[in-house]
Amino acid sequence: MCGISGIYGHKNVSLAETTVMQMNKCMAHRGPDAQGLWSNDEVVLGHRRLSIIDTSEAGNQPFISQDKKIVIVFNGEIYNYIELKQELSQHYEFHTATDTEVIIAAYLHWGIDCLKHFIGMFGFALYDVEKEKLFIVRDRLGIKPIYYASTKHGLLFASEIRSILSTDLVKRKISREALVDYLHYQTVHAPNTIIEGIEILMPGHYMELSKNETKTICYWNAIESANKPNLGESKTHVKKRIQELLLSSVEMRMRADVPFGAFLSGGIDSSIVVGLMSQISSHPVNTFSVTFHEKEFDESPYSSLIAKKFGTKHTPIQLRAEDFLKLIPHALRAIDHPSGDGPNTYVVSKVTREAGVKMALSGLGGDELFAGYKVFQRMKLLECNKWMKMTPRIIRKVAGQILLKAKPSVSSEKFAEALAKPQMNFASSYPLSRQILPTRTIEKLLKKQITIINPIASRVNNISKCTLPLLSKVSIAEMETYMQNVLLRDSDQMSMAHALEIRVPFLDHRLVQYVLGVNDELKYPHTPKQLLTDSFEDLLPEEVVNRPKMGFTFPWAIWMRGELKGFCEENLQALNQVEEIDSNEVNVLWKRFIEKDPAITWSRIWPLVVLGHWVKQHDVH
């Protein structure tokens, strides 16, 4: 896990090298073990290294092939590098034990089609010296980011936005379209970013750059790659296949030459990962959990239960709520791209890295893949409630307004908006599920009238047209929106702030492709993630299967009206430098929150606080 940067098509090699060195410097936290630079008259490549596989100097980057024909900078891991190395050894003479060299050998043998052979998470730039071509590649599920910007000095790319901003070759200007997206969903959806002129490469895509042209190509997407539903497949067979695929995924992600462990919350996903790690490992697995003195936040009874069951070397790291509170400003300073979520991951990553490990496995992705969120149940119920679809829109709209007046709340507001839609189906209703602020509130927040385009709506509309089962459509929607643009982005920026690598076994593309093809009748969540828990019923204790879902349920509203009040007000004030935002309307929202208006929850205010902090920190206008 590392940080990469570069410039393609530069006009001055000396200036380009200085620029890439500056980008590297901004990512020192991502790779404290080594740094490097390579250049010619067309491209400059930079790298910061966090060594996980082959920690010797032979693994330092930029990595150059023995024949000097290929140069690569690589962030991530190719988990099946051992199998690929065995297959390719008859065609290529290996000189290191790195997975980086395996990428080069695979490219020399298969060309850019080598991507189809990789199991892993990756963002890399590979330069073919003979063909004078640069390939910039992002993994299938978008676990590792690559940002880029076209400038008069060439195309810049890096693992973080702040690296590109540090060059001063891109104006620090907020994109109006992206601002609307952020206000809707506390994030900006790929390929856009909050900064005008900076984009993020879409998951499952690569860019091919040469002197003649630049093209972006999709090499994988969830819909086309998903297994076709097999109505005759028995549940016994499905369970066995899920067991095999997840076991293989965990086994590959345990390959490392440094101390590693696993996050263990005691929830279903992390417990299964730890259970499988224990089956594979001949030594006790290192597990880490953050525990709290306050009972209402503490998950230690469940994590301790799992640790005891599998005989792990368990490290409970106790924090007080006030300790977490003190870390919040530090977490916001670590944010590369603004997001309304993230401090939780920052804290877990910090204490885990301080416990002496460089890499940890996580249960991220289990909810999205196995229908663990309530949105799956809501979409299924909507599909079954034919009467609701048949009710005239005017009646539905009136009913929604009555509900909103009788019981004002965020959920009532969303339900009323759903009832008022011309149609009630997955395509029209899903975009409301993750929405933070309603459109009418956003219109008030903006000084100038901006065309409100909902990026999720168009994406979900396309997903709805595919032939996959409904719950698989919801899974794809969750993975392509909330998971990729909030959870994975936060996971990357918050863990790398502490030079910690996080691996996510549930996002092995082989498992994803298979589960997306499973019928709803086998997956329907009568209990949380029923297909997943049924597949590992011998692994999980009943107390974990039937436990209430907790996560970090901290008293954010209390803090924001108390200890964090001054902090919040200071950062909301910073939004004055964003000319599109009406500060008076921001103050109105804040006042309503302070007065405990049920329609203005802390989650509707916090993303504005984060945005204010971010624009102030990065001097963005």
Side-chain angles (χ1 to χ4, degrees), residues 533-552:
T533 55
D534 286 352
S535 299
F536 294 95
E537 55 191 348
D538 296 332
L539 199 66
L540 295 174
E542 186 177 341
E543 297 93 326
V544 169
V545 174
N546 297 317
R547 60 164 288 190
K549 190 174 180 66
M550 289 176 63
F552 283 104

Side-chain angles (χ1 to χ4, degrees), residues 16 79 86 123-124 134 216 229 266 268 437 565:
Y79 299 123
Q86 291 172 346
F124 65 80
L134 177 68
T216 301
I268 290 170
L437 289 174
K565 185 179 180 183

Side-chain angles (χ1 to χ4, degrees), residues 289-324:
S289 65
V290 176
T291 67
F292 293 92
H293 177 72
E294 294 84 355
K295 298 285 186 185
E296 62 269 36
F297 315 138
D298 189 36
E299 298 181 284
S300 62
Y302 302 105
S303 56
S304 297
L305 178 68
I306 293 297
K308 184 176 181 181
K309 176 178 173 63
F310 296 115
T312 73
K313 184 180 178 183
H314 190 53
T315 305
I317 305 161
Q318 189 173 72
L319 290 177
R320 295 168 298 173
E322 60 188 67
D323 297 326
F324 185 87

Side-chain angles (χ1 to χ4, degrees), residues 229-289:
N230 184 351
L231 297 175
E233 199 170 22
S234 69
K235 187 170 184 177
T236 300
H237 180 269
V238 170
K239 288 162 54 178
K240 183 179 179 182
R241 189 69 184 126
I242 289 171
Q243 292 168 8
E244 293 170 348
L245 288 168
L246 190 53
L247 181 65
S248 171
S249 176
V250 170
E251 185 174 23
M252 284 188 175
R253 282 157 182 78
M254 291 175 66
R255 294 172 174 176
D257 297 326
V258 296
F260 67 90
F263 294 152
L264 178 59
S265 68
I268 290 170
D269 304 329
S270 66
S271 297
I272 289 175
V273 169
V274 168
L276 293 176
M277 291 175 73
S278 299
Q279 289 182 358
I280 296 164
S281 178
S282 58
H283 304 287
V285 174
N286 293 312
T287 54
F288 302 87
S289 65

